[in-house]
């Protein structure tokens, strides 16, 4: 890669089932000059996320073929004709999947990063980024988790899952239980991540394993999976339980409708609440999130929980690996390594 | 019936599918003498409700065979050894399905009726009773209906449905749309009950009929039915829509699990909220409900919307008729007629 050449990942075909590298291509182009009102950013860190799988199918708001792709990124301004941005500024923006981009402060979610001394860059796309904000909104707003309550998180070793575990602990949750897709992840959950119990969902029906892990039931469920996980959680939820439904990663390939839980009517019998969480409805909580988490990130009480792939040319590998569950915590691509 | 003989309906067998009169029997016994701490009540008005169908299956909290049955009732005290109740007092209690009962103030939900001049007795078991309270809690608490919002109600000609229509109008709903099970009920909804649109769910998929009745979508759905109705409503709900799930009367016989909506994941995509409503969690709203409705009942702005069957010996007929949808509004049995 020469200094005057920029690189980008394009999608070149629609996946029929599980995405492969064949649906992507790397494109090169001259590093653009900032036009008035824009700044040129060199990206340092890129986010690849489960929701990108949905965008790959195209349609309204989806990825266009042979075009730049949306993705959360942290970059450094290297030339600016935007009066709000100066050379050297760190910015959060959505022009991801590429090495360089032109951005405009305040447009498309572009904001100057509030840099917190002692906080690693990875935190801005994990706990302080979209996944952390999703988990924070799910717990403090949608589910309204109270001190002393018991929580179950599915896909608990993933980006939103690890963030939910960290944040719930800080909020004073009593027992935190997670499900994951491998024995190694289960060990990681009950080890480093401090979950009180965890299980591999391959080992048996979620309802049965959850009943063993939480014999007295749960108060809140953060759902990243849907289907059988949702059904098992409904079984375990106590009266007035709340479900913050974030995603259904297990069903993003192939059949797009997660199997609906057969026991959904328990929502009436137990006065449960099931509510969807879209992070774009909670961006006003960004500052609150940072005030809540930064002291703990600084003190080292919590880590950033990331899997960082190094090198822009491994962006597609990182994305596919994330879909296969290779990551623990938030999957990121670091460009300056 | 002689003055010294009391009568009661007992359940004598479990239904295998749709209940029939063969599962009930009328029992006679001497009118009881009040023991200290109790009052003898002569029932004036009995309520038969969809939830009784569930109780017929027995199990925890269900009807016992060959025993008195639970049911909301209004009666008059005819002898009292309860210091809180005087002869002539009107009481609301749960010792239904019978002509006479011993009750204790404050026990099992027994309360002295706050008698409102100019309000017919039927109102205390309909709009001011459990069905009205259910609808009021569903709209003002669970769904938090706002002025100017659009509402869909299923089983709209039933007890909870008619109450939801009345209350939503008073709360300032914009368009109120109802589904029902016959052309006559549909006419009643758009006629006397003032619904803006209504349809017979036999005439086509709920989603399609609702899309015609509410081409711009709905904000709130009060669900008395589940299954295909819930699926159709999820389709029609706008972003941030709320579902107050009250019951699933269509599935109370035979298969007890309503078919789960195939589009449930729209709860995430549209940031919807689905929440169960149990009236027993909202009894503290009774006074608020009365303050809200009594002026309108007195002025005649709203009616009580009841189907009243006369004569205790027709109690089982009333119950079975209600399950068959013979009623418009709340189904009641009047004993003094």
């Amino acid at each position: 890669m020469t200094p005057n050449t920029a690189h980008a990942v394009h999608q070149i075909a629609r996946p029929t089932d599980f995405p492969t590298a064949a649906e992507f291509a790397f494109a090169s182009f001259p590093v653009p000059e900032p036009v008035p009102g824009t700044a040129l950013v060199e990206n340092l860190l890129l986010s690849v996320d489960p929701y990108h799988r949905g965008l790959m199918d195209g349609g309204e708001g989806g990825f266009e073929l042979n075009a730049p792709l949306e993705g959360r990124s942290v970059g450094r301004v290297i030339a600016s004709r935007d009066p709000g941005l100066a050379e050297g500024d760190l910015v959060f923006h959505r022009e991801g999947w590429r090495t360089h981009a032109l951005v405009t402060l305040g447009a498309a979610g572009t904001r100057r990063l509030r840099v917190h001394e002692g906080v690693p860059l990875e935190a801005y796309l994990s706990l302080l980024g979209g996944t952390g904000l999703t988990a924070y909104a799910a717990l403090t707003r949608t589910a309204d988790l109270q001190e002393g309550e018991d929580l179950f998180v599915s896909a608990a070793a993933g980006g939103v899952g690890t963030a939910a575990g960290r944040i719930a602990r800080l909020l004073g949750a009593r027992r935190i239980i997670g499900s994951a897709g491998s024995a190694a992840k289960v060990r990681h959950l009950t080890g480093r991540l401090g979950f009180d119990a965890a299980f591999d969902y391959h080992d048996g029906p979620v309802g049965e394993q959850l009943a063993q892990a939480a014999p007295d039931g749960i108060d809140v469920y953060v759902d990243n999976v849907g289907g059988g996980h949702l059904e098992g959680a409904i079984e375990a939820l106590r009266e007035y339980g709340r479900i913050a439904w974030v995603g259904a990663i297990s069903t993003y390939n192939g059949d797009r409708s997660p199997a609906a839980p057969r026991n959904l009517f328990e929502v009436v019998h137990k006065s449960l609440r099931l509510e969807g969480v879209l992070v774009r409805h909670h961006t006003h909580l960004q500052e609150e999130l940072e005030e809540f988490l930064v002291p703990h990130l600084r003190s080292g009480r919590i880590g950033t929980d990331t899997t960082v792939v190094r090198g822009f040319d491994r962006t597609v590998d990182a994305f596919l690996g994330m879909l296969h569950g290779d990551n623990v915590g938030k999957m990121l691509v670091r460009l300056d390594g």
Side-chain angles (χ1 to χ4, degrees), chain A residues 129-163:
Chain A
T131 48
L133 190 61
T134 301
Y136 186 75
L139 290 169
T140 64
R141 299 309 197 272
T142 313
D144 194 20
L145 179 78
Q146 300 297 306
E147 213 176 311
E149 287 193 320
D150 297 325
L151 172 72
F152 172 51
V153 184
S154 56
V160 172
T162 52

Side-chain angles (χ1 to χ4, degrees), chain A residues 21-337:
Chain A
E23 278 104 47
F24 295 97
F26 283 82
S28 297
F29 52 97
V31 170
E33 293 284 334
V35 295
T38 72
L40 173 64
V41 161
E42 182 177 17
N43 282 330
L44 304 174
L45 210 54
L46 304 176
S47 177
V48 288
D49 290 274
Y51 77 86
H52 288 142
R53 172 60 190 89
L55 300 188
M56 286 188 75
D57 290 330
E60 198 188 325
F63 285 165
E64 282 179 56
L65 296 184
N66 308 301
L69 306 179
E70 185 274 351
R72 299 187 188 106
S73 312
V74 168
R76 187 187 306 279
V77 175
I78 55 174
S80 181
R81 298 183 68 181
D82 179 336
L85 291 173
E87 219 174 294
D89 280 353
L90 289 175
V91 292
F92 173 98
H93 64 92
R94 317 284 300 231
E95 314 289 315
W97 299 81
R98 73 201 84 168
T99 59
H100 298 77
L102 294 182
V103 302
T104 298
L105 193 67
T110 298
R111 55 183 163 85
R112 200 186 294 101
L113 225 55
R114 286 176 68 199
V115 178
H116 304 283
E117 217 180 317
V119 171
L121 201 64
E122 282 77 6
Y124 297 97
L125 286 185
S126 57
L127 271 171
L128 303 181
T131 48
L133 190 61
T134 301
Y136 186 75
L139 290 169
T140 64
R141 299 309 197 272
T142 313
D144 194 20
L145 179 78
Q146 300 297 306
E147 213 176 311
E149 287 193 320
D150 297 325
L151 172 72
F152 172 51
V153 184
S154 56
V160 172
T162 52
R166 296 291 195 190
I167 293 167
R169 184 64 75 209
L170 295 172
L171 290 169
R174 199 176 68 109
R175 273 172 68 76
I176 304 178
I177 297 147
S179 71
S182 74
K185 286 184 180 176
V186 165
R187 281 193 302 274
H188 191 75
L189 286 173
T190 54
R192 179 148 177 192
L193 293 173
F195 278 62
D196 298 286
F199 59 84
D200 182 341
Y201 66 84
H202 299 101
D203 289 349
V206 173
E208 288 175 22
Q209 296 202 74
L210 187 53
Q212 283 198 326
D216 301 329
I218 56 170
D219 301 293
V220 168
Y221 171 45
V222 174
D223 187 7
N224 293 300
V225 175
H229 270 82
L230 181 52
E231 187 168 298
I234 287 174
E235 206 176 312
L237 278 161
R238 300 190 186 111
E239 200 164 61
Y240 294 119
R242 288 88 65 202
I243 300 164
W245 200 359
V246 171
I249 191 171
S250 70
T251 61
Y252 286 174
N253 302 292
D255 180 11
R256 307 302 303 282
S257 291
R262 287 163 296 181
N263 58 354
L264 189 64
F265 193 54
E266 291 300 310
V267 165
V268 179
H269 288 144
K270 298 202 272 192
S271 288
L272 306 180
R273 194 173 76 208
L274 169 67
E275 189 166 351
V277 186
L278 287 180
V279 68
R280 69 166 182 266
H281 294 150
H282 297 281
T283 51
H284 61 285
L285 300 178
Q286 180 66 35
E287 203 167 325
E288 181 181 322
L289 172 75
E290 295 184 19
E291 273 161 27
F292 181 74
L293 286 182
V294 164
H296 303 291
L297 281 162
R298 265 205 196 113
S299 73
R301 182 174 172 190
I302 57 174
T304 58
D305 305 324
T306 51
T307 297
V308 180
V309 166
R310 291 185 178 266
F312 179 71
D313 54 348
R314 294 187 59 211
T315 301
V316 173
D317 299 341
F319 172 63
L320 297 175
M322 180 276 303
L323 289 183
H324 281 105
D326 294 347
N327 55 308
V328 173
K330 179 77 188 82
M331 182 68 107
L332 297 175
V333 181
R334 181 134 198 163
L335 274 65
D336 59 354

